[in-house]
Amino acid sequence: MDQFKQKFKEEATDLINDLEEALLLLEQNPNDKDIVERVFRAMHSLKGGGAMFGFDHVSEFTHHLETIYDLVREDKFLVSADLLTITLESVDHIKDLLFSDEITKEIENNHSVLITKLSTLATNDVGKAATPIENQDNTASTQKSFYVFFKPNPDVFENGTNPLYLLDELCELGESRIISHSENIPLLDDLKESNSYLYWEVIIVTDQELNAIGDVFLFVEDDCELEITQVAEGNLLADEKVIRYLADIEKESKVVDIQKLEREISKNKENKTEQGSKESTGTDTSVISSIRVASDKIDTLMNLVSELVTTQARLSLFTEQQEDAELDAIGENIQKLSRQLRDNAFSISLIPLQSIITRFQRLVRDLSNGLGKKINFKTEGTETELDKTIIENLTDPILHIIRTSIDHGIEDVQTRINSGKPEEGTILLRSFYSGTNVFIQIIDDGKGLDHEKIRQKAIEKNLISESTQLSKKEVFDLIFMAGFSTAKEVTDVSGRGVGMDVVKRKISAIRGDVEVDSEPGEGTTITIKLPLTLSIIDGLLVRVGVTDFIVPLSAVQKIYAVNKSEIIDNYTHTVVLDEKQTPFHNMREFFTIDKEMPDTVQVLVVTYEEQSVGIVVDYVVGEYQAVIKPLGKHYKDQEFISGATILGDGSVALVLDTNKIIKQSAEEV
Amino acid sequence: MKKRILIVDDSESIREVLSFTLENAGYDVLAGVDGEDAQKYLNGEPIALVITDLHMPNKDGIGFIKDVRAHEDYKRVPILFLTTESQTAKKMEAKSAGATGWIVKPFVPQKLLAAINKVVR
């Protein structure tokens, strides 16, 4: 038998490992039924094996766990942080039970404490979840009517009993009618204020047995006159005659005559109608407010919508050429519908940021404990929705930023106290919409970034030269360069070669941008700017020479018509727009397009690093819904191109990233 | 304000079980290790309920129940004592000392809360 025991212990180790892993997963996805099932299976195997091989403690204990997770399986119990904490404690305890050489006093104590915690949890929550089910049972005809006579002794208050609480408890058992008798109250002079003079008669309708009613008066049985009788099956209080009879009794301060009551009942028995059938109406009105859909179906939908939008563009072009009024109308209608369909399909593929927040919370919790730092992780605006592809690609970068923030940003408790900050550091994850972008900020109140240190480091690493003059922002941007790490030593947590440059690259891959701002001693703010969606954008179709380009409409603030003489041979590269000096970048030069410039050109004003910058194109063709397609590998290093789109006539236009164009163009000048 | 319950028991694990259950049910808990130790809580601050074990070193439960009843501020406070099913004689003794009711050991949380529900609202 002993060798079997050994075998079971090995098996149990695997089961426990699996259980722990599943529990941690469950913490991140509390609603995932598959994980709950996995947790339950592991528990069930532990319980079965424990009983088989003589680990009765383990078996009995696991049974309690299993009970709760059985309820979770049936949706009668919600997975909460409390539950998971206690479950994890319990798993540790099972390890103790299995692998300790002897069961110490401590383990024993732990055993009973955990069992109580578990059953407390079970009773608390099940109570809530199961109430409606119990109510349904009440409507069944198992109800009985009882008569209770309760007259406490005058000195009942002496030992701390309050008869009112007992009546309250009695009424909780079901529907009740209480008649209170005050005729024994003496005249004021004779009244002893610490005595009880009242007595009560109660008709109670409940599905409980006589015992349960007796239990209410358990503590006072010896200190009162008590009579409990079952007077009828069914609900006596639904009978109008009984109600009237009781009202009369109360008015005339008479005592209920049970025999008379019973006669009333038997008289009524024949014309009793069936009850309960009417209660069943109105319960079937549940409306499905949401459904779960496999994500690849949504991907397919998005693809189809993209194709539709592309085809619609062809249709639009065709109708324009036909000059047919009827076709025009149809074309416009299709255009409107496809736009609505597009917006609708988009909103389906959006998921709230909240869905990935738990991972960050867990990270902060584990990491701050590990480093002995106190950190409060706060979130704002986590209801902000993003395209699911973006969310999927966002988790890792944000995890890295938070990790860096905990490791390098937030100081340890002592340092914080010394610099007059609250002991507990704060990391705030904030998200909000602005225009067609979503911003996510990770703000910490740690020690901030040290300008000079970053500069020195960059010089050391040959990223910049000693003489390079950089603005504050440019210095901060250095941390996103490959091979840069400000931490003096590589720590356990961050700085394992995976730097902020990877964060930048990953966010760029989803057409986002990341910026950092910091005040030494005050903290650091990292801002991630993301597009709402990746696949279709509202664009502005512009033409330079014979080539068409798409500029995201969201980037463009204003469009000005400017005489070409202001652009050509302009060595300052600025033009006055609305009385403001505006630097510009000529796309004709940028793409080295030779063709003659028209007399009037158009300048798109976009915002670049909080400044207005002009982009010069020949002319604006119009708005265009651009379905963005990725470009082949030859273009993958061209950062200024977000992708390409197919135009109505079947030709291809590049989608430009204005920020990157300006940056690159500025560097060339 | 949360209601305060004074628990008196010499067993640490029982105290822990009681505290956990009661705090979970929304009460504040004061804990004494025996009748002598628990005297310090009889200081005029409001107490909604006393739960005491009967067998304890120094001062046992019966003695402590009498102390509570003799105290001007607490003579009407409900007192529940912990007992086992077999101790009928002890039950009578505790009741005549002034106890309001009892809780049978071993108990599960819902039993405990049900007993409390009879005497505190």
Side-chain angles (χ1 to χ4, degrees), chain A residues 41-58:
Chain A
R41 262 199 320 272
M43 286 174 178
H44 192 73
S45 310
L46 272 174
K47 183 179 108 170
M52 182 80 194
F53 301 104
F55 296 94
D56 292 341
H57 270 67
V58 174

Side-chain angles (χ1 to χ4, degrees), chain A residues 160-414:
Chain A
T161 302
N162 188 338
L164 279 183
Y165 297 161
L166 300 176
L167 290 171
D168 271 348
E169 191 183 338
L170 182 64
C171 294
E172 280 164 14
L173 294 175
E175 195 183 339
S176 64
R177 174 79 168 82
I178 301 181
I179 301 168
S180 63
H181 293 277
S182 52
E183 55 264 26
N184 291 350
I185 299 181
L187 293 173
L188 194 58
D189 287 342
D190 303 328
L191 189 131
K192 207 177 152 201
E193 72 278 10
S194 60
N195 275 10
S196 162
Y197 295 104
L198 298 177
Y199 68 100
W200 295 270
E201 290 181 290
V202 184
I203 301 288
I204 173 127
V205 180
T206 173
D207 53 355
Q208 305 277 329
E209 297 301 321
L210 195 112
N211 278 347
I213 296 176
D215 273 353
V216 171
F217 301 97
L218 186 65
F219 296 159
V220 292
E221 269 168 357
D222 305 331
D223 311 319
C224 67
E225 282 175 50
L226 183 68
E227 187 191 332
I228 306 171
T229 328
Q230 184 182 332
V231 284
E233 298 283 341
N235 187 349
L236 205 57
L237 296 176
D239 189 328
E240 271 188 33
K241 275 192 184 148
V242 174
I243 297 287
R244 229 176 295 139
Y245 171 69
L246 293 175
D248 287 347
I249 294 270
E250 194 170 27
K251 232 184 277 166
E252 297 160 28
S253 330
K254 280 198 287 195
V255 182
V256 176
D257 179 344
I258 299 185
Q259 278 161 9
K260 199 172 165 193
L261 197 62
E262 277 171 346
R263 275 201 301 278
E264 290 279 344
I265 298 157
S266 56
K267 249 190 277 171
N268 284 340
K269 225 161 209 172
E270 301 91 56
N271 37 18
K272 250 203 178 153
T273 50
E274 214 176 283
Q275 284 178 339
S277 56
K278 62 185 170 200
E279 267 107 317
S280 64
T281 52
T283 51
D284 276 352
T285 52
S286 61
V287 177
I288 298 171
S289 62
S290 68
I291 52 164
R292 292 175 78 93
V293 180
S295 59
D296 57 347
K297 284 189 182 169
I298 292 175
D299 290 344
T300 313
L301 175 68
M302 291 304 291
N303 282 337
L304 289 173
V305 170
S306 301
E307 293 300 323
L308 179 70
V309 169
T310 309
T311 314
Q312 183 268 316
R314 276 181 66 190
L315 180 68
S316 289
L317 190 74
F318 181 70
T319 46
E320 226 169 84
Q321 291 159 351
Q322 297 307 304
E323 292 180 1
D324 178 331
E326 201 171 336
L327 189 61
D328 260 358
I330 297 172
E332 271 177 28
N333 240 328
I334 299 262
Q335 182 171 9
K336 198 173 87 192
L337 285 174
S338 64
R339 192 179 287 262
Q340 281 173 359
L341 181 64
R342 179 201 71 173
D343 288 346
N344 212 297
F346 270 166
S347 65
I348 291 174
S349 65
L350 294 180
I351 50 177
L353 196 61
Q354 182 63 42
S355 57
I356 52 171
I357 289 294
T358 35
R359 290 192 60 182
F360 307 144
Q361 279 162 343
R362 175 82 202 197
L363 176 80
V364 173
R365 175 176 145 179
D366 290 357
L367 215 55
S368 55
N369 285 346
L371 294 170
K373 297 179 179 181
K374 283 192 181 170
I375 297 172
N376 179 11
F377 182 66
K378 291 199 282 195
T379 56
E380 265 176 33
T382 51
E383 71 281 359
T384 308
E385 289 182 319
L386 276 162
D387 191 292
K388 76 177 179 57
T389 349
I390 297 180
I391 291 257
E392 279 162 10
N393 288 295
L394 201 56
T395 320
D396 284 346
I398 296 185
L399 277 176
H400 188 80
I401 292 169
I402 293 179
R403 207 179 284 139
T404 314
S405 190
I406 296 172
D407 197 20
H408 303 318
I410 306 276
E411 314 89 329
D412 58 55
V413 173
Q414 198 50 49

Side-chain angles (χ1 to χ4, degrees), chain B residues 49-89:
Chain B
L49 170 69
V50 175
I51 299 176
T52 178
D53 193 19
L54 291 183
H55 299 283
M56 289 181 295
N58 296 326
K59 177 164 253 170
D60 75 352
I62 304 286
F64 185 65
I65 291 170
K66 286 180 179 159
D67 287 347
V68 175
R69 282 287 168 259
H71 194 292
E72 188 53 34
D73 293 329
Y74 304 111
K75 60 183 183 193
R76 297 276 188 271
V77 169
I79 304 174
L80 298 179
F81 58 92
L82 299 167
T83 175
T84 54
E85 205 56 82
S86 56
Q87 292 174 298
T88 323

